[in-house]
Amino acid sequence: GQQLNQSPQSMFIQEGEDVSMNCTSSSIFNTWLWYKQDPGEGPVLLIALYKAGELTSNGRLTAQFGITRKDSFLNISASIPSDVGIYFCAGQKGSQGNLIFGKGTKLSVKP
Amino acid sequence: DADVTQTPRNRITKTGKRIMLECSQTKGHDRMYWYRQDPGLGLRLIYYSFDVKDINKGEISDGYSVSRQAQAKFSLSLESAIPNQTALYFCATSDFHGTSFPGELFFGEGSRLTVL
């Protein structure tokens, strides 16, 4: 099946550091989304991107839809302990296509 | 109360047993999904339904079946469980006609299944 390559697989950082993760694909997507899964819970949408080149922020989070439509990145600035969790990128083709998820980036934050 | 509720939250069973995981939602969404999460493999789609009587296979449907009993209920069955079906299972909903972000899925809290 189609795959999204998400990296890094895991990160161990100190509180206050900035974090960057990205997703790449060999296919073009019309929508990129970033989800976060807190320990013991289901994923929750953080940011949705609908236009190539779009840069969107949500508090300390910033995400971009790559100009080629084949990639996206997520940055977290000044990390805090509650940023711990697994971050998933997801791509969607068209308005009705099912989401294709990346394998996730597991973030650990040391206080 | 959660908008998307999964039962049971945890289940341990033996190889060959029949298992049903249930999902109910109070969001009024038309679309429902079952995903499987394995460490390092992300979320993979098992089955999805766009409405009652509409059932579609996802990426990894072999060994699973589903039933959409009503708009609010979508159950996943393992007819004869095997150890490699040990995983965390998520139900999700989406609202194509509503006000949520296009592509946004609303997940339940997950059902952890262990097959011995």
Side-chain angles (χ1 to χ4, degrees):
Chain A
Q2 297 171 41
Q3 288 191 349
L4 294 184
N5 299 309
Q6 185 172 350
S7 64
Q9 211 169 24
S10 62
M11 301 181 77
F12 296 85
I13 62 168
Q14 201 77 32
E15 183 177 359
E17 289 182 356
D18 296 344
V19 171
S20 186
M21 59 191 79
N22 69 81
C23 255
T24 61
S25 172
S26 56
S27 302
I28 288 174
F29 288 101
N30 294 331
T31 301
W32 283 95
L33 306 108
W34 286 91
Y35 284 80
K36 183 196 176 193
Q37 182 182 22
D38 287 326
E41 298 186 15
V44 173
L45 181 68
L46 295 174
I47 291 181
L49 302 152
Y50 300 107
K51 205 166 144 184
E54 181 182 354
L55 186 72
T56 296
S57 293
N58 178 5
R60 293 177 297 105
L61 277 59
T62 302
Q64 184 156 29
F65 190 142
I67 199 75
T68 65
R69 296 165 64 196
K70 293 183 179 180
D71 61 342
S72 177
F73 73 73
L74 175 71
N75 285 343
I76 305 172
S77 62
S79 59
I80 59 178
S82 62
D83 289 334
V84 162
I86 303 176
Y87 292 79
F88 291 102
C89 63
Q92 183 184 39
K93 299 188 174 192
S95 60
Q96 299 211 39
N98 290 318
L99 300 188
I100 308 294
F101 282 89
K103 295 182 180 180
T105 295
K106 186 172 183 179
L107 179 63
S108 301
V109 179
K110 214 186 310 183
Chain B
D1 285 343
D3 293 325
V4 182
T5 303
Q6 293 182 229
T7 55
R9 294 292 312 279
N10 284 285
R11 181 74 185 267
I12 299 173
T13 191
K14 293 184 179 177
T15 297
K17 294 290 188 184
R18 184 177 188 272
I19 294 296
M20 181 182 286
L21 306 180
E22 302 199 40
C23 178
S24 63
Q25 52 121 343
T26 58
K27 298 187 79 67
H29 289 173
D30 45 2
R31 300 182 173 193
M32 297 187 74
Y33 309 78
W34 275 103
Y35 282 89
R36 168 177 172 160
Q37 182 179 15
D38 297 277
L41 294 181
L43 293 157
R44 294 181 292 168
L45 182 62
I46 307 173
Y47 271 96
Y48 61 101
S49 167
F50 285 174
D51 204 345
V52 178
K53 295 183 186 174
D54 177 69
I55 300 291
N56 304 282
K57 290 184 178 181
E59 183 188 348
I60 54 163
S61 58
D62 286 350
Y64 302 95
S65 62
V66 290
S67 173
R68 184 84 184 265
Q69 305 94 319
Q71 192 200 29
K73 294 185 184 296
F74 193 37
S75 59
L76 175 72
S77 293
L78 288 68
E79 294 302 325
S80 180
I82 56 177
N84 77 359
Q85 291 177 312
T86 293
L88 184 56
Y89 291 85
F90 283 102
C91 174
T93 71
S94 70
D95 184 17
F96 182 70
H97 301 289
T99 57
S100 56
F101 287 99
E104 183 173 12
L105 296 177
F106 296 84
F107 286 86
E109 294 180 310
S111 296
R112 186 168 294 282
L113 177 66
T114 303
V115 183
L116 301 176

